């Protein structure tokens, strides 16, 4: 599904693309917030959101071609609150930043960090970080990914930040006189998980939110052996990115999310995807380091 460019539109208050929580159904619009939407968005007639096809559980396309995910459901619920349809483009990661910069997309889901904050504001919606998951037959139940992956058969997603981190960890192994990490890179996270389930690799180095979702989905076949949410550096965060300076829309989106947290809808969505423990119900702004 990589490289797919598709478009789907969902209707405020429901829609035909609901995920496990079916969360947008029955949400009543808040007229005050709907009226506060920027004129350009209201005149256009929809919110524009971009998602990737393989980033379980935040955004992904299932075997039937349906766009699902916690962030997808959450933006659909926002559309219900704001009484406006949500139009979703399914694209590759490299389309996100240019889409926000050009105004093609009102918001996308991105990892929040200081470099990206130069051009975008972030409404953080979940904790993230790194995790190591393993197939159930792997001999260890715990390990320290920073020092104990040397020589271990490890799967990672190609051309991602996690791959860059793993390359650095492997170089540190060799600098200490230990064997390099036995690394295999796969096209997407589904490939990493398949490599573990088939025992082609022993462990997978993957984003924390993705690892938690897959272990929750297959608790008999997979296990979590390490997770780092960045507590020692103040946390790692991901959320909705909005073009820097677009404060009118950012503030409306932020308030709509807070309303969904008050209703319990936000928590319901994330629980449905197995990542309830990673929620950030206060939706902090620009918390990434």
């Amino acid at each position: 599904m990589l490289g797919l460019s598709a478009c789907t539109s969902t209707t405020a208050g429901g829609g035909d693309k609901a995920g496990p929580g079916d969360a947008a159904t029955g949400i009543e619009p808040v007229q005050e917030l709907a009226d506060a939407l920027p004129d350009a968005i209201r005149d256009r007639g929809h919110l524009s959101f971009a998602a990737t096809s393989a980033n379980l559980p935040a955004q992904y396309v299932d075997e039937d071609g349906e766009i699902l995910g916690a962030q997808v459901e959450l933006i659909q619920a926002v559309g219900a609150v704001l009484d406006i349809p949500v139009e979703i483009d399914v694209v590759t990661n490299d389309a996100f930043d240019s889409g926000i910069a050009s105004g093609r997309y009102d918001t996308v889901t991105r990892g929040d960090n200081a470099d990206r904050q130069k051009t975008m504001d972030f409404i953080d919606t979940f904790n993230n970080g790194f995790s190591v998951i393993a197939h159930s037959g792997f001999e260890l139940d715990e390990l320290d990914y920073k020092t104990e992956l040397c020589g271990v058969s490890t799967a990672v997603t190609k051309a991602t930040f996690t791959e860059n981190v793993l390359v650095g960890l492997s170089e540190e192994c060799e600098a200490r006189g230990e064997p390099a990490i036995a690394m295999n890179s796969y096209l997407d996270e589904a490939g990493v998980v398949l490599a573990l389930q088939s025992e082609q690799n022993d462990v997978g180095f993957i984003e924390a939110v993705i690892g938690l979702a897959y272990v929750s989905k297959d608790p008999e076949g997979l296990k979590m052996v390490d997770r780092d949410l960045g507590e020692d550096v103040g946390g790692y965060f991901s959320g909705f990115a909005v073009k820097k300076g677009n404060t009118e829309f950012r503030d409306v989106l932020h308030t709509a999310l807070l309303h969904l947290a008050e209703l319990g809808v936000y928590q319901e969505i994330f629980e449905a995807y197995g990542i309830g423990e990673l929620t950030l119900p206060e939706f902090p702004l620009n918390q990434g380091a």
Side-chain angles (χ1 to χ4, degrees):
M1 301 300 294
L2 290 180
L4 175 71
S5 181
C7 177
T8 181
S9 180
T10 63
T11 304
D16 58 356
K17 302 293 182 184
D22 199 19
T25 302
I27 294 175
E28 294 294 329
V30 177
Q31 194 60 46
E32 181 181 358
L33 291 178
D35 291 343
L37 267 175
D39 290 340
I41 296 177
R42 181 60 68 189
D43 292 345
R44 184 205 304 146
H46 65 265
L47 289 180
S48 181
F49 177 71
T52 63
S53 63
N55 192 9
L56 180 78
Q59 47 195 354
Y60 64 97
V61 173
D62 71 4
E63 61 273 12
D64 297 321
E66 300 290 328
I67 179 68
L68 303 174
Q71 290 287 92
V72 171
E73 278 206 52
L74 191 53
I75 197 66
Q76 289 171 332
V78 165
V81 171
L82 299 179
D83 196 25
I84 191 168
V86 178
E87 187 171 284
I88 303 172
D89 276 353
V90 180
V91 299
T92 51
N93 276 298
D94 56 2
F96 283 169
D97 294 352
S98 61
I100 287 292
S102 68
R104 179 174 183 178
Y105 305 126
D106 297 313
T107 186
V108 300
T109 295
R110 297 294 270 153
D112 181 1
N113 61 52
D115 187 58
R116 288 174 177 167
Q117 289 169 19
K118 296 174 183 176
T119 58
M120 292 177 276
D121 280 331
F122 288 84
I123 304 172
D124 294 323
T125 57
F126 59 93
N127 283 299
N128 208 350
F130 307 109
S131 66
V132 181
I133 61 176
H135 62 75
S136 57
F138 182 57
E139 59 185 0
L140 300 177
D141 291 327
E142 294 182 2
L143 59 74
D144 183 343
Y145 81 91
K146 294 179 181 178
T147 60
E148 295 180 348
L149 285 179
C150 304
V152 177
S153 173
T154 305
V156 70
T157 308
K158 186 177 182 179
T160 60
F161 182 65
T162 48
E163 184 185 49
N164 293 340
V165 170
L166 195 64
V167 168
L169 292 172
S170 185
E171 292 172 350
E172 291 175 10
C173 289
E174 293 183 284
R176 295 194 300 268
E178 299 180 65
I181 298 171
M183 189 187 319
N184 293 109
S185 298
Y186 297 90
L187 189 60
D188 55 29
E189 289 81 4
V192 170
V193 172
L194 181 60
L196 301 183
Q197 292 170 329
S198 62
E199 300 191 16
Q200 294 181 56
N201 293 102
D202 288 328
V203 305
F205 187 63
I206 202 165
E207 286 184 36
V209 65
I210 300 172
L212 183 62
Y214 273 110
V215 170
S216 176
K217 187 176 180 181
D218 182 16
E220 299 299 319
L222 300 170
K223 59 183 178 180
M224 182 79 65
V225 295
D226 195 21
R227 187 171 65 182
D228 177 11
L229 299 182
E231 291 91 343
D232 57 339
V233 295
Y236 301 124
F237 305 97
S238 291
F240 290 119
V242 175
K243 186 176 181 179
K244 202 79 171 179
N246 191 4
T247 54
E248 186 180 7
F249 174 63
R250 182 202 66 191
D251 292 347
V252 172
L253 175 57
H254 190 223
T255 306
L257 289 166
L258 290 169
H259 177 68
L260 290 169
E262 290 177 2
L263 293 177
V265 172
Y266 162 62
Q267 292 85 349
E268 175 190 336
I269 292 171
F270 276 67
E271 290 287 351
Y273 284 92
I275 53 172
E277 66 185 83
L278 301 181
T279 55
L280 296 168
E282 295 182 358
F283 301 109
L285 300 177
N286 297 321
Q287 291 295 294

